[in-house]
Amino acid sequence: MVRVTEWRRPYNRPMDSRPIGVFDSGVGGLTVLHECLVTMPHEDFVYLGDHARLPYGPRPLEETRRFAREIAGYLQERDVKLIVVACNTATSAALPELQEELTVPVLGVITPEAHAAVQATRNRRIGLLATAGTVAGGRYDELVRALDAGVAFFPVACPGLVDLIEEDAPFEQTLDAVREYAAPLRGAGVDTVILGCTHYPLIRPILQRVFGRDVTLVFSAEETAREVAETLARRGVENEPGREGSYRFLTTGDPEAFRAAGRRFLQLPIAAVEHVGIADLERAAA
């Protein structure tokens, strides 16, 4: 008997060259973009910083939700294949709505951090440092307790800390602010602290100095980047492997100010920055 072997052509998955959209209220989300660039060097990215309306933290959640809907709608119109909300306040205020309304996948930065914190804690006492808007949104509390209902959770709002980091304020001024915000968490005996704002990793040495080595600081840019890569693979919308991707920058504020501050956050060169008017964003959500 002659065995007939069926020959099949190897399956070549089509590549998707559309860029990935990333946005934040300012340049803090560049810390997330940096990890995405390292994890997916073959992908293209477009980053939008809403400097004209920075900061988001003190604003009412409904206003932040509106801003996020405008920016995400604008990026979708620019034909991105996935959107990363690289802003904890905007993620807390708007992620479910964005995922329902948009046709492209939308990922946030809160879920990976909550998961990492629950895995890291030894005494089940977790603290959160975040903007007032993120704390008010309550999303971290919900996610942490969903993962471990027995965790004691201590959120602390840090008004003004984003401004100090954006302005690269003097060391002593930033240190004094960190000591003030860290005090209730140290008093609560937490062993794990979520850095619930994409700006905060820029002052990680100061935070670790105040909390000490026994406290684990959680910032999940790496986990977020990994989730982006897995989502692209699962949906079959990756770019051609082996190529070198590009990245572009948009801001609603001053492009030169964005370039100057952004280099410190991205740790990579920033060339041209395109200005986007608020009216253009508002039209995208109309």
Side-chain angles (χ1 to χ4, degrees):
M1 182 176 67
V2 178
R3 177 178 296 176
V4 178
T5 302
E6 182 182 359
W7 181 85
R8 289 188 176 93
R9 184 187 301 276
Y11 172 65
N12 293 319
R13 173 182 289 177
M15 296 294 112
D16 190 329
S17 62
R18 291 177 298 165
I20 297 165
V22 183
F23 77 88
D24 183 26
S25 60
V27 293
L30 292 173
T31 56
V32 176
L33 177 62
H34 175 86
E35 293 302 328
C36 287
L37 292 171
V38 171
T39 303
M40 296 160 282
H42 56 289
E43 296 288 351
D44 295 340
F45 293 85
V46 54
Y47 179 97
L48 195 155
D50 192 12
H51 273 80
R53 300 183 289 196
L54 178 77
Y56 282 4
R59 296 181 181 273
L61 287 177
E62 186 55 45
E63 186 175 35
T64 301
R65 187 174 296 117
R66 175 168 59 84
F67 293 168
R69 291 180 66 245
E70 291 170 358
I71 296 172
Y74 179 82
L75 289 173
Q76 180 170 263
E77 287 184 352
R78 307 236 351 184
D79 199 27
V80 299
K81 61 186 176 185
L82 182 145
I83 294 175
V84 181
V85 187
C87 172
N88 300 71
T89 305
T91 298
S92 181
L95 185 62
E97 288 80 5
L98 297 180
Q99 291 174 332
E100 289 176 4
E101 295 172 4
L102 301 182
T103 58
V104 297
V106 185
L107 304 178
V109 291
I110 290 180
T111 299
E113 287 178 336
H115 187 263
V118 170
Q119 288 188 318
T121 185
R122 303 173 304 280
N123 67 3
R124 300 171 83 193
R125 300 178 73 80
I126 297 175
L128 168 69
L129 296 177
T131 67
T134 298
V135 170
R139 186 64 177 149
Y140 277 106
D141 199 344
E142 294 173 5
L143 288 169
V144 166
R145 294 189 190 283
L147 292 165
D148 185 349
V151 165
F153 189 70
F154 305 91
V156 174
C158 306
L161 191 54
V162 167
D163 293 329
L164 292 176
I165 297 170
E166 286 257 349
E167 297 163 6
D168 198 12
F171 171 80
E172 288 297 334
Q173 187 178 357
T174 304
L175 178 61
D176 288 344
V178 169
R179 283 173 174 157
E180 176 186 347
Y181 299 137
L185 298 184
R186 296 179 67 191
V190 303
D191 74 348
T192 303
V193 176
I194 300 171
L195 305 184
C197 175
T198 53
H199 285 71
Y200 296 173
L202 265 291
I203 59 166
R204 187 169 189 147
I206 298 176
L207 290 159
Q208 199 73 73
R209 161 84 172 161
V210 170
F211 282 108
R213 288 291 182 190
D214 291 337
V215 174
T216 300
L217 302 180
V218 172
F219 174 66
S220 63
E222 291 182 7
E223 286 85 355
T224 301
R226 191 176 302 114
E227 185 179 0
V228 172
E230 291 172 354
T231 301
L232 295 179
R234 187 170 60 252
R235 291 176 173 265
V237 290
E238 299 162 288
N239 208 335
E240 187 72 36
R243 66 185 294 276
E244 182 175 350
S246 63
Y247 48 95
R248 300 176 52 227
F249 302 97
L250 315 172
T251 180
T252 57
D254 176 37
E256 285 306 310
F258 180 99
R259 288 183 69 236
R263 282 193 295 266
R264 183 164 61 99
F265 286 74
L266 187 64
Q267 303 175 53
L268 289 168
I270 294 179
V273 180
E274 178 184 341
H275 180 264
V276 177
I278 297 297
D280 295 324
L281 302 182
E282 292 173 340
R283 278 193 293 271

